[in-house]
Amino acid sequence: MLASILASGLAVGAIYALIGITYNTMFSTSRVMSFTAGQLGMLGGVLGSLFTLRLGLPWPLGLLATLACGALVGVVTEFVAVRPVLKSLDQHLYVLSTLALALMIQQVTAITWSTEPQPFPRLLGGFGETVLDEKFWLPVAACLLVVVGLELLYRRTLLGHAFLAVAEDNFAARALGLPERRLRVMSYGLAGAIGALAGYAGGELLLAFFANGPHLNFYGFIPVALGGLGNNRGALIGGLVLGLFQQAANFVVGGIFASVAVFTLFIVVLLAAPQGLLGSAQARRV
């Protein structure tokens, strides 16, 4: 039982962490908390099932197609829901614009896909129904791959340095001649692909279900709050801790009381450390 709680907790926590990283990636270049992050995770599962199961594509091609569609939705989010309200960030109009787009994505998916949970295909097989099953380790592997990849991108490449510059001071970056708007579009495309990867890697756990979006939106935001806004390593740690705590609470108290326990933990941590356990990323010259 302990092994099952650990395996499922780490897997679910890795999915939450990936959605948290999606939030961070969008926020870094726009200062907007886009509520389409959870819908991107939902689309990852739906599109993954569509390409791999219904259309019969090999899973690597299905994964690439899913990531491409997720990136496209991310770019559309920037054009439709973010760019028009950037001049009114102090009025928090992005809450309405991104939430409206998220609801549109959910309803269109329900109409064109299904209102019932649909199966997600097994990708690699092996190990059977044990704690070593792919549905438990695939989300963890995907999450670690994304965190390491982003660290290498931000620290070792010129494009990553440009992302950091825009994230830390977009006015100064623009004054230095960086294409701030183009970089913002690219970051939303990257975030869309990360969100879709979360849904694809966790498809066997979450299934291809149109209603996964709001669930991922909320539980994906908690790692951001726990780990510190803009801190991807904090989101990773926060997501894994959240997943383990949630699965343990499901085993101990179960049902709605598990959600109450999660909310209580969330509130206590925010009261003790409003900036998150690891704090926000510190500004520095890049």
Side-chain angles (χ1 to χ4, degrees), residues 1-224:
M1 183 61 67
L2 177 60
S4 177
I5 292 174
L6 289 175
S8 59
L10 290 175
V12 171
I15 298 171
Y16 295 157
L18 283 171
I19 299 299
I21 293 171
T22 303
Y23 272 118
N24 281 339
T25 306
M26 290 181 172
F27 179 84
S28 63
T29 55
S30 63
R31 292 298 180 265
V32 167
M33 292 298 295
S34 175
F35 293 100
T36 58
Q39 303 297 346
L40 287 165
M42 177 272 293
L43 287 176
V46 169
L47 293 174
S49 179
L50 171 65
F51 291 131
T52 309
L53 193 61
R54 290 195 180 180
L55 300 183
L57 293 178
W59 75 262
L61 292 180
L63 173 59
L64 290 177
T66 301
L67 297 184
C69 291
L72 178 61
V73 173
V75 171
V76 170
T77 299
E78 196 279 335
F79 276 98
V80 173
V82 174
R83 185 174 299 186
V85 301
L86 283 180
K87 294 181 180 179
S88 304
L89 286 182
D90 56 330
Q91 300 179 24
H92 304 293
L93 295 180
Y94 63 84
V95 175
L96 296 177
S97 62
T98 60
L99 185 58
L101 180 59
L103 291 175
M104 290 174 60
I105 293 173
Q106 178 174 316
Q107 295 307 312
V108 170
T109 304
I111 293 171
T112 59
W113 174 250
S114 174
T115 56
E116 298 294 329
Q118 300 297 312
F120 193 90
R122 290 187 62 81
L123 304 178
L124 302 175
F127 300 111
E129 292 295 328
T130 69
V131 294
L132 297 178
D133 190 86
E134 66 179 38
K135 67 181 179 183
F136 295 125
W137 62 261
L138 271 179
V140 177
C143 187
L144 294 177
L145 180 65
V146 166
V147 171
V148 172
L150 288 178
E151 286 293 317
L152 293 176
L153 172 67
Y154 290 148
R155 309 300 174 187
R156 302 292 180 87
T157 68
L158 186 60
L159 177 62
H161 290 169
F163 277 137
L164 288 178
V166 172
E168 292 170 1
D169 192 333
N170 61 342
F171 295 105
R174 195 183 310 154
L176 291 173
L178 290 177
E180 182 253 351
R181 180 175 297 180
R182 188 181 306 169
L183 289 169
R184 188 173 64 243
V185 172
M186 293 173 64
S187 73
Y188 269 73
L190 177 61
I194 294 172
L197 178 61
Y200 194 93
E204 293 181 55
L205 283 175
L206 302 178
L207 301 180
F209 188 32
F210 85 103
N212 282 337
H215 173 86
L216 292 176
N217 254 339
F218 178 77
Y219 284 100
F221 177 76
I222 295 179
V224 175

